[in-house]
């Protein structure tokens, strides 16, 4: 139950009523005020003050100030007169029940009457809020319509200015066109006069030339025909070509890049190497052949060493990396095999018919390395690349099918 506030002070004039409600230490932010033209309520838990005003006030002109530990109301009366009491049911100041001739229970509002007045005040406040909301919506809609009208007016003015500018420009263009036509007509007349004058001057000379030409042709008809031309032979030579395929303009850049790589791979470096003494041992091609010989003998580590020396001596040929990858594959060093095959494929770019077999070997060896590491998806991809280069190879097809069946079996399990 809230605690009713009794120590409220008030004063009045014929125009207004001033009511002061003490806040009793409650913060202003906790105060809730509700007022209508006949009801006043201040709630600041646990305290509550409410008053059913003796007469109606102008709620729009009235105000409330919260601060300094109190709420101060200034209520403007609708009728200029003195009330003598603030709330309905109170005894006017300076009178007693006997003088008033009424019983105490008749002066005090009953709970039912107070509740009825309270409900009426709340309903009045709600109705006022609804009316204000409707009026606000009407004003907003009217403002929108007015804004649209203003915008339409501005658009019409702007459109009028644009049309006027276009019309002015059109008139200016027509004037300039007429001037240009007159100028062209004048020039055409002058040119026509000039052509007539030239024709008059040149016609006699042209007639004389035509007569002389006819006379000369009559004489030439009976002269002998000239002898036929002598025969001859033209020798055609073609530029020598390294690649076996026909020359194509679209492949020129790729072939030049390939030849550049092969030239760099074949160039020898004339640096000393403490492990290589003789001149021939510094030749990458000699070292490559030596590695091939070791591979055929089954000495894979010696072949790897020879290929490694060839690479250090500037032998950046794809076949060196591809052959060393084969040695790594024999020694179960699959990571090194995959790495060398990748180097070889990079050096074999761009792909041309001349390096097709080398690319196929590199794909197969790298795919085998992936398969032995159980990386079957990568292995299948390399074998499919090799099959694209050699689609009629049954062994490649068999190996690719075997890897594909392993992948499908692992997915099913």
């Amino acid at each position: 139950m809230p605690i009713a506030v009794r120590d409220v002070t008030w004063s009045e004039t014929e125009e207004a009523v001033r009511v002061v409600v003490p806040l009793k230490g409650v913060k202003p932010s906790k105060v809730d005020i509700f007022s209508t033209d006949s009801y006043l309520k201040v709630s600041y838990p646990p305290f509550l003050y409410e008053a059913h005003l003796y007469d109606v006030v102008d709620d729009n002109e009235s105000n409330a100030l919260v601060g300094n530990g109190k709420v101060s109301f200034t209520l403007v009366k609708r009728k200029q007169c003195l009330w003598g009491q603030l709330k309905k049911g109170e005894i006017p100041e300076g009178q007693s029940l006997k003088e008033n001739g009424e019983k105490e229970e008749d002066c005090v509002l009953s709970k039912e009457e107070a509740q009825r007045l309270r409900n009426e005040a709340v309903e009045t406040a709600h109705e006022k809020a609804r009316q204000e909301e409707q009026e606000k919506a009407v004003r907003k809609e009217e403002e929108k319509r007015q804004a649209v009208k203003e915008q339409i007016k501005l658009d019409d003015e702007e459109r009028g200015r644009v049309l006027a500018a276009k019309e002015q420009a059109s008139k200016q263009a027509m004037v300039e066109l007429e001037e240009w036509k007159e100028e062209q007509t004048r020039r055409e007349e002058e040119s026509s006069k000039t052509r007539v004058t030239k024709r008059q001057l040149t016609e006699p000379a042209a007639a004389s030339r035509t007569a002389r030409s006819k006379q000369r042709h009559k004489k030439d008809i009976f002269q002998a025909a000239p002898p036929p031309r002598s025969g001859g032979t033209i020798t055609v030579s073609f530029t020598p070509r390294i690649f076996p395929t026909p020359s194509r303009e679209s492949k020129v850049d790729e072939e030049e890049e390939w030849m550049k790589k092969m030239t760099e791979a074949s160039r020898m470096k004339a640096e000393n190497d403490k492990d290589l003494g003789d001149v021939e041992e510094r030749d990458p091609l000699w070292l490559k052949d030596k590695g091939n010989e070791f591979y055929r003998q089954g000495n894979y580590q010696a072949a790897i060493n020879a290929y490694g020396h060839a690479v250090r001596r500037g032998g950046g040929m794809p076949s060196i990396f591809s052959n060393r990858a084969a040695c790594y594959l024999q020694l179960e060093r699959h990571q090194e095999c995959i790495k060398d095959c990748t180097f070889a494929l990079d050096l074999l770019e761009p792909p041309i018919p001349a390096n097709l077999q080398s690319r196929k070997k590199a794909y197969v060896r790298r795919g085998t390395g992936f398969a032995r590491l159980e990386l079957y998806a990568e292995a299948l991809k390399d074998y499919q690349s090799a099959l694209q280069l050699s689609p009629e190879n049954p062994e490649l097809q068999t190996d690719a099918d075997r890897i594909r069946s392993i992948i499908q079996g692992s997915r099913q399990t």
Side-chain angles (χ1 to χ4, degrees):
M1 285 288 294
I3 300 174
V5 180
R6 303 293 183 184
D7 52 346
V8 176
T9 61
W10 71 282
S11 62
E12 69 170 333
T13 63
E14 291 185 354
E15 292 81 14
V17 177
R18 292 175 179 81
V19 182
V20 178
V21 181
L23 294 181
K24 302 181 181 298
V26 178
K27 294 181 180 180
S29 59
K30 303 293 185 180
V31 178
D32 183 20
I33 299 174
F34 176 74
S35 67
T36 67
D37 56 357
S38 61
Y39 178 73
L40 190 66
K41 175 182 177 182
V42 182
S43 175
Y44 46 108
F47 301 100
L48 173 67
Y49 173 75
E50 66 175 353
H52 299 283
L53 300 177
Y54 180 77
D55 202 352
V56 293
V57 297
D58 191 344
D59 192 42
N60 294 326
E61 297 294 331
S62 303
N63 61 73
L65 298 176
V66 181
N68 298 325
K70 60 185 178 180
V71 181
S72 301
F73 292 94
T74 301
L75 308 177
V76 179
K77 297 178 180 179
R78 289 188 181 178
K79 298 178 181 179
Q80 295 185 3
C81 63
L82 294 176
W83 292 354
Q85 62 188 67
L86 178 63
K87 299 188 292 183
K88 292 180 179 179
E90 288 185 336
I91 301 173
E93 291 184 356
Q95 297 183 12
S96 62
L97 290 175
K98 294 180 179 180
E99 296 174 352
N100 207 27
E102 296 179 359
K103 298 180 180 180
E104 183 177 358
E105 55 270 18
D106 296 332
C107 295
V108 178
L109 289 176
S110 64
K111 290 184 179 180
E112 292 78 7
E113 182 68 13
Q115 183 64 37
R116 183 185 65 77
L117 294 175
R118 188 183 300 112
N119 292 339
E120 289 179 356
V122 172
E123 182 63 29
T124 301
H126 288 172
E127 183 64 26
K128 180 180 179 181
R130 284 194 294 269
Q131 290 179 357
E132 290 178 350
E133 188 68 25
Q134 292 175 358
E135 292 175 358
K136 182 179 178 181
V138 170
R139 287 195 304 270
K140 187 174 181 181
E141 188 66 26
E142 183 62 28
E143 289 174 356
K144 285 184 179 180
R145 286 197 294 269
Q146 191 64 27
V148 171
K149 290 180 180 178
E150 291 294 331
Q151 186 63 41
I152 292 174
K153 182 179 178 182
L154 293 174
D155 291 343
D156 291 341
E157 292 177 356
E158 181 65 22
R159 189 178 300 107
R161 286 195 295 271
V162 171
L163 291 176
K166 286 184 177 180
E167 185 176 357
Q168 182 64 26
S170 178
K171 290 180 179 179
Q172 183 65 26
M174 292 300 296
V175 170
E176 294 177 355
L177 180 60
E178 292 298 328
E179 292 177 353
W180 178 82
K181 287 182 178 180
E182 293 177 359
E183 181 67 19
Q184 292 296 318
T185 303
R186 184 181 59 79
R187 291 183 179 180
E188 188 68 26
E189 291 176 355
E190 293 178 355
S191 177
S192 177
K193 293 179 181 179
T194 303
R195 286 196 297 271
V196 170
T197 303
K198 288 183 178 180
R199 191 183 305 114
Q200 292 174 352
L201 295 174
T202 56
E203 281 181 354
S208 177
R209 285 196 300 272
T210 302
R212 288 197 299 270
S213 176
K214 289 181 179 180
Q215 187 177 5
R216 185 170 59 254
H217 283 308
K218 289 180 180 180
K219 294 179 180 179
D220 293 340
I221 291 175
F222 302 99
Q223 294 180 358
R229 296 178 181 179
S230 58
T233 303
I234 299 176
T235 303
V236 179
S237 60
F238 297 93
T239 303
R241 177 171 171 77
I242 298 174
F243 297 96
T245 57
S247 178
R248 295 287 185 271
E249 185 177 357
S250 59
K251 298 291 184 179
V252 171
D253 294 338
E254 297 179 357
E255 291 176 354
E256 290 180 354
E257 185 179 353
W258 167 253
M259 292 302 300
K260 182 178 179 181
K261 287 183 178 180
M262 291 299 97
T263 302
E264 291 177 357
S266 302
R267 187 182 300 118
M268 295 174 54
K269 290 186 178 180
E271 299 176 357
N272 294 326
D273 193 323
K274 61 182 181 180
D275 296 331
L276 302 174
D278 297 337
V279 174
E280 64 180 2
E281 293 178 355
R282 301 193 188 103
D283 185 0
L285 294 176
W286 183 87
L287 291 169
K288 174 193 171 188
D289 293 338
K290 198 67 178 176
N292 294 343
E293 183 179 348
F294 284 136
Y295 181 85
R296 286 191 293 271
Q297 294 173 1
N299 192 351
Y300 304 119
Q301 186 58 53
I304 290 173
N305 295 337
Y307 293 138
H309 284 303
V311 170
R312 289 196 297 273
R313 299 309 301 168
M317 291 181 287
S319 57
I320 295 177
F321 289 100
S322 181
N323 293 349
R324 189 170 67 175
C327 298
Y328 284 137
L329 199 60
Q330 294 294 335
L331 296 177
E332 301 294 329
R333 294 164 63 178
H334 306 306
Q335 294 286 355
E336 289 91 337
C337 170
I338 294 170
K339 184 177 180 181
D340 273 4
C341 289
T342 303
F343 278 135
L345 289 170
D346 290 341
L347 292 172
L348 289 169
E349 291 291 336
I352 58 176
N355 59 20
L356 186 145
Q357 293 299 324
S358 299
R359 285 186 284 125
K360 184 189 74 173
K361 290 181 181 179
Y363 278 126
V364 171
R365 288 169 182 170
R366 190 171 71 173
T368 304
F370 279 131
R372 293 184 180 178
L373 290 175
E374 297 183 356
L375 300 174
Y376 298 113
E378 291 81 358
L380 180 60
K381 184 178 179 181
D382 281 344
Y383 269 93
Q384 288 175 342
S385 299
L387 276 171
Q388 291 178 356
L389 301 176
S390 181
E392 303 299 330
N393 192 320
E395 295 180 358
L396 287 178
Q397 187 63 52
T398 301
D399 293 340
D401 293 341
R402 186 181 299 113
I403 295 172
R404 188 179 292 104
S405 64
I406 293 173
I407 295 174
Q408 293 174 351
S410 62
R411 289 178 180 174
Q412 292 176 358
T413 56

